[in-house]
Amino acid sequence: MANENVSVVFKLYCLTVMTLVAAAYTVALRYTRTISSGDLYFSTTAVCITEVFKLILSLGMLTKETGSLVKLKSTIEEHIIFSPKELLKLSVPSVVYAIQNNMAFVALSNLDAAVYQVTYQLKIPCTALCTVLMLNRSLSRLQWFSVFMLCGGVTLVQWRPAEATKVQIEQNPFMGFVAIAVAVLCSGFAGVYFEKVLKSSDTSLWVRNIQMYLSGIVVTLIGVYVTDGDKVLEKGFFFGYTPWVCFVVFLSSVGGLYTSVVVKYTDNIMKGFSAAAAIVLSTIASVLLFGLQITFAFASGAILVCISIYLYGLPKQDTSRVSRLDASAESKQKLISV
Ligand code: NCC
């Protein structure tokens, strides 16, 4: 089954790398869109190249997993070449992720990185809602409460003063917020859809990724053609690519693959909780190692994050038992009054 046993250390390692990469990715992307001098690259091509990189890396991982080229060939034939239905199934999250990944560029071209990070935390309740609706899981009232508390906690933890640096382009904050709203919905839906497909069969994570990235390449290429087609034909696909842009593509690819591993071994809600814990822990580590100053917002946010993690992890029966006790007390009361 998809949920094999792996050590807690490995899970923690994946979560920490995913969170650190996501933080670096947001800042580097913002830099390439607003501060870095020179010709501005086409963001649609960066999203497309990322899909190509993820496909190559996943093929490498699948080769390692199957152990031989013969087995790799038969796996590719069975699950990719002769499985158009499965490819179609995975084209759903790939379209949604393509929209989300493009929206990140729109948002970070128009909003400060810190504002983006904070607003993007709305994905936590959105993911919880998608999990309940699409995976038929239930959350107790206390767990819902902890989801919203986590959202508030991460918001405070990531609270930073706005950028002091002057940006080189004109910004439209309204457009930035609309892009975040779309990205939040896409992240919740695509994440849970992928989790559902991945965990409903024994098919390897790398096969699922390859299926998704193949349609991802097609969809993002259509995005390049529709949005920047004329300009790309005139100036070239890699117009404006600097080492910083290549770094953004690298982070985006590595971050995407780590996200898939995290979803395989945990789930999308846990991804949100653990990412929050990783942010808190890495900041505390920076305090101990580099003497970073802790702000009041960080300290209160960190406390909220810890309490929400504790509340979310409380056994569900506790709350249902309380409501059962309440209900039986209520019926006893009714009997007495009768
Ligand atoms: O928003 P988020 O993830 O849910 O987006 C998921 C990202 O992972 C890629 N993905 C997902 C599944 C899969 N099997 N393969 C993939 O490549 C998707 O294409 C999508 O890019 C998060 O939980 O906050 C997280 O945030 C992103 C990123 O910071 C935001 O989307 C902002 O743009 C992180 N991605 C990177 O750091 C590159 C992700 O690791 C965690």
Side-chain angles (χ1 to χ4, degrees):
M1 231 22 217
N3 217 351
E4 292 153 29
N5 279 336
V6 286
S7 72
V8 176
V9 176
F10 179 72
K11 287 185 195 177
L12 279 177
Y13 157 77
C14 292
L15 280 160
T16 311
V17 174
M18 184 196 81
T19 309
L20 293 180
V21 169
Y25 170 69
T26 311
V27 176
L29 197 164
R30 169 76 177 164
Y31 177 76
T32 60
R33 295 310 284 174
T34 55
I35 297 167
S36 143
S37 54
D39 297 317
L40 195 59
Y41 63 101
F42 304 115
S43 58
T44 49
T45 62
V47 175
C48 180
I49 283 298
T50 300
E51 295 302 302
V52 176
F53 262 121
K54 288 191 290 194
L55 177 70
I56 295 170
L57 291 172
S58 298
L59 273 169
M61 293 306 290
L62 185 62
T63 313
K64 200 170 157 228
E65 191 176 77
T66 49
S68 77
L69 285 177
V70 182
K71 266 195 174 168
L72 175 71
K73 188 172 163 269
S74 67
T75 307
I76 290 183
E77 278 172 357
E78 183 190 342
H79 293 285
I80 291 151
I81 301 177
F82 300 118
S83 286
K85 229 173 112 188
E86 294 300 295
L87 282 179
L88 205 65
K89 212 195 268 177
L90 269 295
S91 66
V92 176
S94 78
V95 171
V96 182
Y97 272 139
I99 299 173
Q100 181 199 326
N101 291 334
N102 277 293
M103 285 303 125
F105 280 86
V106 177
L108 282 163
S109 303
N110 291 289
L111 290 172
D112 172 47
V115 175
Y116 172 84
Q117 289 271 40
V118 165
T119 325
Y120 192 54
Q121 298 314 321
L122 282 173
K123 72 166 191 278
I124 298 173
C126 181
T127 302
L129 186 66
C130 289
T131 302
V132 168
L133 296 178
M134 293 162 65
L135 295 181
N136 290 330
R137 277 187 209 152
S138 64
L139 292 188
S140 67
R141 250 187 261 170
L142 192 63
Q143 283 180 318
W144 272 114
F145 177 72
S146 57
V147 162
F148 282 100
M149 186 187 266
L150 179 76
C151 188
V154 186
T155 303
L156 283 174
V157 160
Q158 300 200 324
W159 200 262
R160 307 265 180 286
E163 275 169 10
T165 343
K166 190 103 188 79
V167 295
Q168 315 270 326
I169 56 157
E170 206 167 294
Q171 301 186 93
N172 181 345
F174 176 72
M175 202 162 148
F177 282 117
V178 172
I180 293 186
V182 176
V184 161
L185 295 175
C186 290
S187 164
F189 174 81
V192 176
Y193 185 107
F194 183 79
E195 184 183 339
K196 188 173 176 157
V197 174
L198 182 68
K199 293 182 180 169
S200 60
S201 77
D202 284 337
T203 310
S204 136
L205 167 70
W206 304 111
V207 167
R208 288 301 186 200
N209 275 348
I210 292 168
Q211 290 171 337
M212 186 163 79
Y213 302 147
L214 276 173
S215 41
I217 294 173
V218 177
V219 173
T220 51
L221 262 180
I222 296 174
V224 174
Y225 178 75
V226 173
T227 319
D228 299 311
D230 295 342
K231 287 175 267 169
V232 167
L233 279 179
E234 187 196 327
K235 297 182 172 174
F237 195 89
F238 294 105
F239 172 79
Y241 271 58
T242 59
W244 273 106
V245 180
C246 299
F247 185 54
V248 166
V249 170
F250 167 76
L251 288 177
S252 184
S253 314
V254 174
L257 292 186
Y258 270 97
T259 305
S260 67
V261 177
V262 165
V263 169
K264 173 175 171 168
Y265 293 119
T266 65
D267 61 50
N268 277 285
I269 301 184
M270 284 306 292
K271 169 164 86 80
F273 273 94
S274 328
I279 296 169
V280 171
L281 291 179
S282 54
T283 311
I284 292 175
S286 314
V287 171
L288 298 176
L289 295 172
F290 314 114
L292 190 93
Q293 288 281 314
I294 279 195
T295 62
F296 177 71
F298 175 84
S300 31
I303 292 171
L304 283 186
V305 167
C306 295
I307 298 177
S308 67
I309 292 173
Y310 172 73
L311 291 181
Y312 187 84
L314 282 181
K316 255 193 195 168
Q317 304 89 282
D318 280 3
T319 45
S320 49
R321 210 174 137 246
V322 168
S323 41
R324 270 206 310 276
L325 288 176
D326 281 353
S328 70
E330 210 179 303
S331 44
K332 265 186 204 157
Q333 193 67 39
K334 271 185 193 158
L335 277 176
I336 292 166
S337 58
V338 166

